[in-house]
Amino acid sequence: MKKNFLFSASAIVLLLGMNSCKTAVVEPDAPLVFSTQTVEQQKKNIEQSGLDLADKMTGLQQTPAFEALNYLSSGQLNAPALVAPLKQLRASLLRNDVNALQTFTNQMRVAANAGDEIWGTWIWNKSTEDFDKSFGSVNKAIYYFPTSAASSTNDGVVTITYTESNVKVPEVTPAEFYPKNLSVVFTIGGAEALKAEFAGEYQSDGTPTSVAQSLIIGAYNWTTSMTNKSTEVSASFSFNYNTQVMLKYEMGATGTFTANQIQTAMGEELSPEDVLTSGFMSFQVMNVAIYGGITDVKNLMAEGNALSSTDKTYSDQSVEILNKYLKFYGYFADPKEKFADVEFFTAEELGSDNSKPATLVYTQTSTSWQPNPPSTLKYDYYNSDYNYNQSTQESEVTYNFYAYPTKTFYNPQPRLIMSDGSKVSDFEKFANDNFITVFEKFESMLPNN
């Protein structure tokens, strides 16, 4: 049973701590009062935030840069390798992928390491339907090309500048170096339509100490930043329409965050508390946000390791520890008021007791090589015996279905406590009952291919 607590607690700890190296500091937790709106009004506001986000995302696909990306992805241009990441960027944005900016930067790094032939000035030749290299350059590339099938001139220009750091990417052959600075500017008819920038600094082992990324497409802008002082990590991601927040993810953590320490912990030679001391994160969609924090990882894990009870008592004690050290709640960003707290509770679930012998619950004889038990039959496994029926002169299979005895299991699970005191533990039903319109709208926006 002790392993169950360690698994649950470790998963939460790693969620709050390790992910900070990927994207995401949020403001220190401050006491918030519950919203004075009714629960139904709060649900409507949450749903509206999702619908507003979908509307804004639709507008992104109508920007000049996105329409040009559509043309680049149509295959009508025999584009050099360095332009390929722009196609991937379009695909990521169509999927509403929050990692679109990170993926784009990584692909640009890979393309930049592809070889000297990608650098220089390239001009689309309509007659040969290929790019002509005008002249060479070092770590700078300029591409002139039409941005639509109707363009009579090379009205699009992508300018890329790239500077490497002196820190090698580990275990990559031939050798590659982490990027220090990267800039991608896309102009259409002389007007800036897209701009992406990256700046990074690293320790000698490849641990990033500072990373800043940005992407601007018309009124849409993405920013990510991360700092790592080895004992303190902070990171943030924001996707805005002008100054309006559409998506925002922030995280902060204290501990030991060198690459070697993290890899050792992930290899199970160390425990989470050897890497993480405390951490917190928040996630915001339009005006709706979720906050989560852990105050003392060491004592959380120590108290969990000290548990020795079994079954329900063990789960109850685990819940007490989790609620003591973890804090989660949902809130509206403006005005900054809570709409729900999150607490852990002991959930009961009837399951199979594999520690006891199974019993035969059903037998079926058939000529089919696949069993076909009644849909209402509950069983855990089956075995089969093959024989030849002399009277029918057919091969038959006897299937024996077995079921273990049932047992009540107890596990810590989270649930929402709404402002009226009502509690929600079935998150899937809660979402389907209240926010199905949002899900349907986003599904309708996804590409068909």
Side-chain angles (χ1 to χ4, degrees):
M1 292 297 295
K2 183 180 292 185
K3 289 184 178 179
N4 291 339
F5 177 86
L6 292 176
F7 178 80
S8 299
S10 297
I12 296 170
V13 168
L14 293 174
L15 172 66
L16 291 172
M18 297 301 184
N19 282 345
S20 61
C21 297
K22 295 180 183 177
T23 49
V25 161
V26 71
E27 296 176 2
D29 175 44
L32 297 182
V33 298
F34 268 110
S35 170
T36 56
Q37 297 176 341
T38 66
V39 170
E40 288 304 313
Q41 288 174 325
Q42 294 170 23
K43 291 177 182 177
K44 287 294 183 184
N45 287 339
I46 295 172
E47 181 181 44
Q48 190 59 50
S49 286
L51 294 174
D52 289 344
L53 175 62
D55 288 339
K56 285 293 194 300
M57 292 301 296
T58 300
L60 170 64
Q61 299 179 29
Q62 299 168 354
T63 59
F66 206 94
E67 293 177 353
L69 291 177
N70 287 338
Y71 181 64
L72 276 175
S73 301
S74 67
Q76 297 186 51
L77 293 183
N78 181 23
L82 201 54
V83 180
L86 292 170
K87 298 180 182 180
Q88 179 61 50
L89 175 62
R90 169 192 173 274
S92 297
L93 295 176
L94 277 174
R95 294 194 306 270
N96 304 313
D97 187 349
V98 296
N99 294 317
L101 178 55
Q102 180 68 43
T103 301
F104 178 62
T105 301
N106 289 341
Q107 286 205 323
M108 291 300 297
R109 174 181 63 80
V110 173
N113 282 279
D116 294 339
E117 68 275 6
I118 63 176
W119 303 111
T121 299
W122 302 79
I123 302 174
W124 176 254
N125 187 321
K126 186 176 181 180
S127 299
T128 62
E129 295 186 344
D130 204 349
F131 280 88
D132 294 333
K133 188 173 184 180
S134 177
F135 53 86
S137 182
V138 178
N139 288 349
K140 183 172 184 179
I142 305 176
Y143 296 88
Y144 296 87
F145 55 90
T147 60
S148 71
S151 299
S152 58
T153 62
N154 291 329
D155 58 335
V157 182
V158 171
T159 303
I160 303 165
T161 57
Y162 180 82
T163 305
E164 290 182 340
S165 70
N166 57 3
V167 181
K168 288 185 178 181
V169 178
E171 300 179 3
V172 173
T173 304
E176 292 184 13
F177 295 83
Y178 286 107
K180 182 177 182 180
N181 296 103
L182 172 67
S183 172
V184 180
V185 179
F186 185 5
T187 63
I188 301 175
E192 185 178 289
L194 179 151
K195 184 176 183 179
E197 293 184 306
F198 170 91
E201 297 179 3
Y202 317 86
Q203 295 181 8
S204 58
D205 65 355
T207 303
T209 58
S210 175
V211 172
Q213 302 174 83
S214 66
L215 172 65
I216 301 173
I217 300 178
Y220 298 86
N221 58 90
W222 296 253
T223 60
T224 68
S225 64
M226 189 279 293
T227 59
N228 183 352
K229 300 177 181 179
S230 296
T231 58
E232 182 179 342
V233 169
S234 64
S236 67
F237 165 84
S238 183
F239 173 30
N240 299 347
Y241 180 81
N242 289 324
T243 59
Q244 181 184 16
V245 173
M246 295 200 292
L247 286 173
K248 190 176 183 180
Y249 179 55
E250 298 181 297
M251 178 175 286
T254 60
T256 304
F257 299 106
T258 64
N260 290 336
Q261 188 81 349
I262 293 174
Q263 290 171 2
T264 302
M266 296 181 70
E268 298 182 355
E269 295 178 28
L270 296 175
S271 299
E273 64 268 31
D274 295 315
V275 175
L276 188 68
T277 302
S278 63
F280 49 92
M281 67 178 183
S282 71
F283 181 75
Q284 180 179 343
V285 177
M286 302 301 284
N287 195 42
V288 178
I290 301 292
Y291 174 91
I294 181 169
T295 57
D296 190 335
V297 175
K298 184 177 181 179
N299 281 326
L300 166 71
M301 301 303 291
E303 291 186 25
N305 288 331
L307 294 180
S308 58
S309 302
T310 59
D311 296 331
K312 188 175 186 302
T313 301
Y314 179 90
S315 182
D316 288 343
Q317 292 174 342
S318 298
V319 164
E320 183 178 351
I321 295 172
L322 292 172
N323 286 332
K324 178 180 178 180
Y325 291 106
L326 303 178
K327 178 176 287 188
F328 294 90
Y329 55 81
Y331 66 98
F332 297 112
D334 184 24
K336 199 169 184 181
E337 297 174 337
K338 284 192 296 186
F339 60 81
D341 274 320
V342 178
E343 71 169 6
F344 287 85
F345 74 106
T346 293
E348 298 183 6
E349 182 180 7
L350 198 63
S352 299
D353 186 0
N354 298 342
S355 65
K356 296 182 179 179
T359 58
L360 179 67
V361 294
Y362 186 72
T363 297
Q364 179 185 62
T365 299
S366 170
T367 58
S368 171
W369 293 97
Q370 292 294 330
N372 185 30
S375 58
T376 56
L377 180 67
K378 295 182 178 180
Y379 66 96
D380 292 300
Y381 69 92
Y382 69 88
N383 59 31
S384 54
D385 293 322
Y386 302 90
N387 59 77
Y388 183 76
N389 190 318
Q390 294 290 346
S391 60
T392 62
Q393 295 187 345
E394 288 184 315
S395 295
E396 293 180 340
V397 184
T398 299
Y399 297 98
N400 297 309
F401 298 84
Y402 296 84
Y404 291 107
T406 57
K407 174 184 177 181
T408 300
F409 291 88
Y410 304 92
N411 294 294
Q413 297 290 336
R415 66 184 172 193
L416 298 175
I417 303 178
M418 310 304 290
S419 59
D420 62 356
S422 59
K423 298 181 179 181
V424 178
S425 56
D426 190 336
F427 296 125
E428 182 176 358
K429 183 178 184 302
F430 179 74
N432 288 333
D433 288 348
N434 296 282
F435 313 120
I436 190 65
T437 304
V438 177
F439 301 147
E440 291 174 346
K441 185 158 188 175
F442 271 99
E443 286 177 0
S444 68
M445 293 169 56
L446 294 174
N448 294 323
N449 48 31

